[in-house]
Amino acid sequence: MSWRKRRKLPTTIQVHMLDDDRVEVFGRRMNMAQKILLQNTLQQTKRKQKYKIPNALALPLQKLAMDNKWEYEGIPVLLLQLKDQLRTRKLDPFHTDDKPHFTKLWKELHTHQQDGVAQIIQYYKGIALLADDMGLGKTHQGVAIALYYMMEGRVLVVCPSYLRFHWENALTEIGGIPPKDVLVIKKTEEKPICRFNIISYDMLPRDKCEVNKTKFSMLICDESHYVKNRKAKRTKAMMHIAKQCKRILFMTGTPALNRPIELFSQMHMIRPVFAKYSTHFAKRYCDGKMTDYGYDDRGHSCDEELNWLLKKVYMVRRLKRDVLNLPKKTRHTVILEINEGLLTDIRDGFAKWKKMNRELMFIQDTAIKNKKNHERKALVSELFRMTALAKVEAMQRWVKDLIEQDKPFLFFGYHMNTLDMMEDACRGKSYIRIDGSTSSEKRQQSVLKFQRGDAKIALLSIMAAGTGITMTAASIVVFGELFWVPGVMIQAEDRVHRLSQKHPVDIYHLLGKDTLDDHIFKNLISKLKTLDALVDKREDRTLEGETTTEFEESVIEI
């Protein structure tokens, strides 16, 4: 393949919405004369890279762009029309007397839960994303909304496999639905014949799944970030079902785990008119652009406008700090000193990584570049595994010291070997373990055992036990390993920081010095800052905490 010269991008004026009354204007790829012309048009005394101005001052910009043959990326017309319509929106008095099941549960809900249910029913007509912070009772609200619309037809609940029986219990115990009207689908050939049908994400895309042949009135997706990838089979299967449903409720405490593009598939299924094409969405909200590797949609842009769109058209979201008077959550960063002999392979891996990065800058052939990228990903995965092995002995020492304090705590790891080694450190103590091989029944039994106080140590997989459980019997969370996605880390720590927690919560991140942890932790901090600004317009949260270093005498002597 011949080397293609990249097209020079044109001078552009980009305008996006900040709130109902203000916009932000960004002049891109402008020379000094063009910048001065833009400044004078906006009647600004000081030249800036971005201007935050009242709506009225931005009106002449489209004509300015046309006169100078610049590109103009303005606010979509649909949003401008919507802004005027929603200005005076308010909740009406809510009447529930004609729905006995719903009325009974409504009276038991907290005030913020009632408000959330009312917004979804009145503002969004049962088609919304319920994105309340972890621990605010999304399941109760989801059950209430399902009860409100249950007479319209069959309801399908899609959730991770480990939450199927949790939803069965919620519908029967919280919602008062007779068990005969609730079906947990365990086989693809099983027909969804009940009023409420529950199925896992993994089962949905299978060829013989009867659910895909059935029409439902309402679709509820718990942990809806599972359909973040628009190209995944489960997402395509979900889109097929969502198109036929009159009501759609997506539920997740982390709408985007990693980057804004993960919101597209959820927004497309809920209200496709505002998120119709992925490339259009990516260009405006993900800084989408063509690169040597293909179309890059991993960035972010127009964050305030996307936040406005989510909150006005799609999402009901409240934060714990605004709703509950929960105990304080404090994060601690613990640097583990690693024996020099265990770092040799990791340092060799870093050297190979740097060499690959340099080589990729000069490779022009697409096939060779893709192959080299695949090799780089495999190398990073191997460094991730080697980091866990290198610091496992230091983790054991730290955890044994914590065990001696006789306080209940959660330990999160990613690799099975890490959990195995921590299990060895807990011998003789009462503990539970939940990983990917734990059945749904044993998982629930283990949670109850921990909550009763029969076990004081919980060894948990970040991926298998980071959602869907409440572990408020503990107020200490230890992350022996990190994961690349900030949403996964936040979800895991909020197993303890939620309703019914009475004690201050301490979060400990155990980082191996001079290992891949250094890169992952910096990456997590940066990603979390971007997502917080996008979804919540907040700047008060970081994974960084008070840093301490754990030394071991044998290490110091070496």
Side-chain angles (χ1 to χ4, degrees):
M1 178 181 174
S2 60
W3 181 244
R4 183 179 68 251
K5 186 177 180 180
R6 191 178 301 168
R7 180 175 65 91
K8 184 180 179 181
L9 296 174
T11 299
T12 304
I13 297 178
Q14 186 179 71
V15 183
H16 75 265
M17 190 184 301
L18 292 175
D19 50 42
D20 288 343
D21 303 307
R22 297 180 307 140
V23 297
E24 183 175 78
V25 179
F26 181 23
R28 310 184 74 173
R29 296 175 289 276
M30 288 186 166
N31 58 36
M32 185 54 66
Q34 292 168 333
K35 289 179 181 179
I36 292 172
L37 180 58
L38 178 62
Q39 176 190 349
N40 294 335
T41 303
L42 296 176
Q43 303 174 29
Q44 300 295 303
T45 57
K46 187 176 180 181
R47 190 167 62 254
K48 300 178 183 177
Q49 186 178 13
K50 296 181 179 181
Y51 299 94
K52 295 182 179 181
I53 59 174
N55 292 337
L57 291 180
L59 293 177
L61 289 178
Q62 190 167 6
K63 184 177 184 305
L64 175 69
M66 291 176 62
D67 292 344
N68 291 276
K69 297 182 180 180
W70 302 340
E71 277 202 7
Y72 177 75
E73 296 179 6
I75 301 170
V77 176
L78 276 174
L79 293 195
L80 293 173
Q81 295 171 344
L82 187 69
K83 181 178 66 172
D84 295 331
Q85 295 173 13
L86 298 181
R87 222 177 252 279
T88 58
R89 182 174 67 176
K90 63 180 181 178
L91 289 174
D92 297 322
F94 200 55
H95 302 290
T96 65
D97 297 337
D98 58 334
K99 303 177 186 294
H101 280 291
F102 174 77
T103 302
K104 182 177 182 297
L105 178 55
W106 172 265
K107 294 176 180 177
E108 297 173 0
L109 295 178
H110 293 282
T111 303
H112 74 272
Q113 293 172 329
Q114 289 183 346
D115 187 53
V117 171
Q119 286 186 54
I120 289 171
I121 293 172
Q122 291 193 20
Y123 288 172
Y124 303 125
K125 310 302 180 187
I127 307 173
L129 169 62
L130 177 57
D132 279 351
D133 214 351
M134 282 79 74
L136 291 184
K138 290 188 292 294
T139 302
H140 281 69
Q141 296 175 72
V143 171
I145 294 164
L147 295 179
Y148 187 86
Y149 292 114
M150 66 182 287
M151 299 311 296
E152 293 183 352
R154 288 179 182 165
V155 178
L156 178 66
V157 179
V158 186
C159 61
S161 58
Y162 60 81
L163 290 180
R164 289 176 299 165
F165 296 102
H166 168 75
W167 266 97
E168 180 187 33
N169 181 72
L171 288 167
T172 54
E173 297 298 324
I174 298 172
I177 301 297
K180 64 181 179 64
D181 290 335
V182 181
L183 173 65
V184 176
I185 297 173
K186 304 182 181 71
K187 297 180 180 179
T188 53
E189 298 84 5
E190 202 168 354
K191 294 187 177 181
I193 57 175
C194 292
R195 173 73 66 179
F196 294 90
N197 304 275
I198 305 168
I199 191 171
S200 69
Y201 285 104
D202 295 331
M203 197 178 294
L204 202 60
R206 295 179 187 173
D207 293 336
K208 296 181 180 180
C209 185
E210 289 291 331
V211 167
N212 295 320
K213 304 173 186 176
T214 309
K215 190 172 181 179
F216 297 92
S217 175
M218 183 173 189
L219 171 65
I220 298 177
C221 298
D222 195 10
E223 306 296 351
S224 61
H225 54 268
Y226 271 59
V227 291
K228 64 182 181 180
N229 184 354
R230 68 185 184 279
K231 298 178 182 178
K233 288 183 178 179
R234 65 170 65 153
T235 306
K236 292 177 180 178
M238 190 73 72
M239 286 182 176
H240 171 73
I241 295 173
K243 286 178 182 177
Q244 306 173 43
C245 292
K246 186 178 180 181
R247 317 290 179 187
I248 301 172
L249 180 64
F250 281 13
M251 299 166 54
T252 175
T254 50
L257 291 172
N258 226 6
R259 48 183 67 95
I261 192 62
E262 296 170 353
L263 292 165
F264 171 76
S265 57
Q266 298 174 71
M267 294 171 68
H268 178 76
M269 283 185 267
I270 294 172
R271 280 188 177 78
V273 67
F274 297 104
K276 197 169 184 179
Y277 303 109
S278 61
T279 49
H280 293 178
F281 182 90
K283 183 180 179 182
R284 185 153 187 87
Y285 300 118
C286 309
D287 194 24
K289 52 187 175 293
M290 187 60 71
T291 69
D292 295 336
Y293 305 103
Y295 195 75
D296 183 4
D297 57 10
R298 296 173 298 172
H300 64 98
S301 53
C302 301
D303 294 349
E304 292 87 352
E305 182 177 294
L306 183 54
N307 176 271
W308 184 93
L309 181 61
L310 285 170
K311 290 190 174 180
K312 294 288 187 179
V313 183
Y314 288 93
M315 183 174 73
V316 173
R317 180 171 173 84
R318 282 73 55 87
L319 303 180
K320 285 182 290 190
R321 65 176 185 181
D322 301 327
V323 174
L324 302 178
N325 187 23
L326 284 178
K328 183 181 179 182
K329 177 163 64 173
T330 306
R331 293 186 176 90
H332 309 267
T333 305
V334 180
I335 307 299
L336 302 177
E337 288 285 342
I338 310 297
N339 192 309
E340 284 291 323
L342 300 173
L343 292 173
T344 305
D345 290 341
I346 292 177
R347 285 171 178 158
D348 290 343
F350 281 147
K352 290 180 183 177
W353 191 3
K354 290 180 180 178
K355 183 181 178 183
M356 283 185 177
N357 289 336
R358 285 194 298 269
E359 290 174 350
L360 277 166
M361 293 173 64
F362 301 102
I363 295 175
Q364 298 182 4
D365 186 270
T366 303
I368 297 175
K369 182 168 283 190
N370 289 338
K371 182 180 178 182
K372 185 65 71 172
N373 264 319
H374 181 74
E375 291 174 2
R376 183 172 62 174
K377 288 180 180 179
L379 176 61
V380 173
S381 296
E382 181 62 15
L383 281 169
F384 190 34
R385 186 190 66 81
M386 289 192 293
T387 292
L389 290 175
K391 70 179 190 178
V392 72
E393 291 182 8
M395 280 193 288
Q396 278 187 317
R397 293 193 301 269
W398 197 90
V399 167
K400 284 178 179 178
D401 289 340
L402 183 58
I403 292 173
E404 293 302 316
Q405 298 179 27
D406 199 33
K407 295 179 181 178
F409 69 91
L410 276 55
F411 178 92
F412 281 102
Y414 180 84
H415 293 94
M416 292 290 280
N417 286 340
T418 299
L419 295 178
D420 291 342
M421 294 293 284
M422 291 305 107
E423 201 167 1
D424 290 340
C426 297
R427 297 297 180 192
K429 305 291 182 181
S430 180
Y431 67 91
I432 65 166
R433 173 171 171 169
I434 300 175
D435 55 40
S437 64
T438 307
S439 65
S440 297
E441 292 83 358
K442 186 177 180 182
R443 175 191 177 93
Q444 193 61 31
Q445 292 169 7
S446 297
V447 171
L448 290 174
K449 180 180 178 181
F450 188 82
Q451 288 291 81
R452 287 196 306 262
D454 296 337
K456 288 195 172 183
I457 305 168
L459 304 178
L460 309 172
S461 162
I462 294 178
M463 304 307 293
T467 59
I469 58 175
T470 296
M471 307 287 275
T472 48
S475 60
I476 298 174
V477 180
V478 181
F479 285 95
E481 295 183 83
L482 302 177
F483 189 63
W484 297 95
V485 182
V488 170
M489 300 289 290
I490 297 295
Q491 279 191 323
E493 67 184 35
D494 279 348
R495 297 311 94 205
V496 301
H497 196 242
R498 56 202 300 116
L499 279 169
S500 76
Q501 180 56 261
K502 299 177 181 178
H503 305 288
V505 172
D506 288 292
I507 313 294
Y508 294 90
H509 296 107
L510 309 186
L511 310 184
K513 188 176 180 181
D514 299 326
T515 67
L516 190 64
D517 282 349
D518 296 336
H519 298 266
I520 297 177
F521 199 56
K522 290 177 184 176
N523 195 264
L524 283 171
I525 292 167
S526 175
K527 286 181 179 179
L528 184 62
K529 184 178 180 180
T530 298
L531 292 176
D532 278 349
L534 167 69
V535 178
D536 299 319
K537 281 191 174 180
R538 64 186 293 184
E539 299 177 351
D540 63 331
R541 184 167 66 168
T542 178
L543 291 177
E544 287 183 291
E546 180 184 344
T547 302
T548 58
T549 303
E550 185 270 349
F551 293 99
E552 203 250 332
E553 291 182 4
S554 61
V555 176
I556 298 172
E557 288 171 3
I558 291 172

